Amino acid sequence: MQDMQSAQIFTDKEILGDGLSAQKATTERFNTFAGECVHDNVRNTFLKILEQEHSIQNEVFQMMHQRGLYQTPAAEEKKVAEAQQKFAQCVK
């Protein structure tokens, strides 16, 4: 039996990073399942699960970002507007 001194201690960054990686893999798989599903009711179930998994992934990302464990560069307003315009055209 291990004592407390020999137990490995993980950092918040390691724990949350592992959780984020798991959520990325999970959303990828559910996206594939939903996209390749023949039955509408099953596909809709996968899509609901996918939405929930994306929400969990975002929560983990936000925790990491707020703690400074996942750095993202600041975006220029011009580039943000350009991206919004580009992807808005894709939706039309």
Side-chain angles (χ1 to χ4, degrees):
M1 189 179 255
Q2 289 184 337
D3 62 13
M4 293 300 285
Q5 290 180 343
S6 65
Q8 186 172 1
I9 305 298
F10 294 98
T11 65
D12 285 351
K13 184 175 183 175
E14 291 170 323
I15 294 167
L16 291 171
D18 187 54
L20 186 59
S21 293
Q23 284 307 125
K24 287 178 180 181
T26 300
T27 56
E28 182 179 323
R29 286 181 181 90
F30 275 107
N31 187 58
T32 299
F33 298 157
E36 298 177 359
C37 189
V38 175
H39 302 285
D40 287 341
N41 59 340
V42 176
R43 181 176 49 256
N44 289 335
T45 299
F46 281 140
L47 289 172
K48 287 177 187 175
I49 295 169
L50 179 61
E51 184 178 3
Q52 293 170 347
E53 294 299 328
H54 273 294
S55 179
I56 294 167
Q57 179 181 338
N58 184 256
E59 288 177 26
V60 175
F61 167 78
Q62 291 298 332
M63 280 189 260
M64 292 186 76
H65 185 69
Q66 290 168 356
R67 295 176 186 190
L69 303 175
Y70 195 114
Q71 299 291 323
T72 55
E76 297 174 24
E77 287 298 319
K78 180 182 176 187
K79 289 185 178 185
V80 171
E82 289 171 358
Q84 287 175 323
Q85 186 176 26
K86 176 183 175 182
F87 291 109
Q89 291 174 0
C90 293
V91 175
K92 291 180 183 176

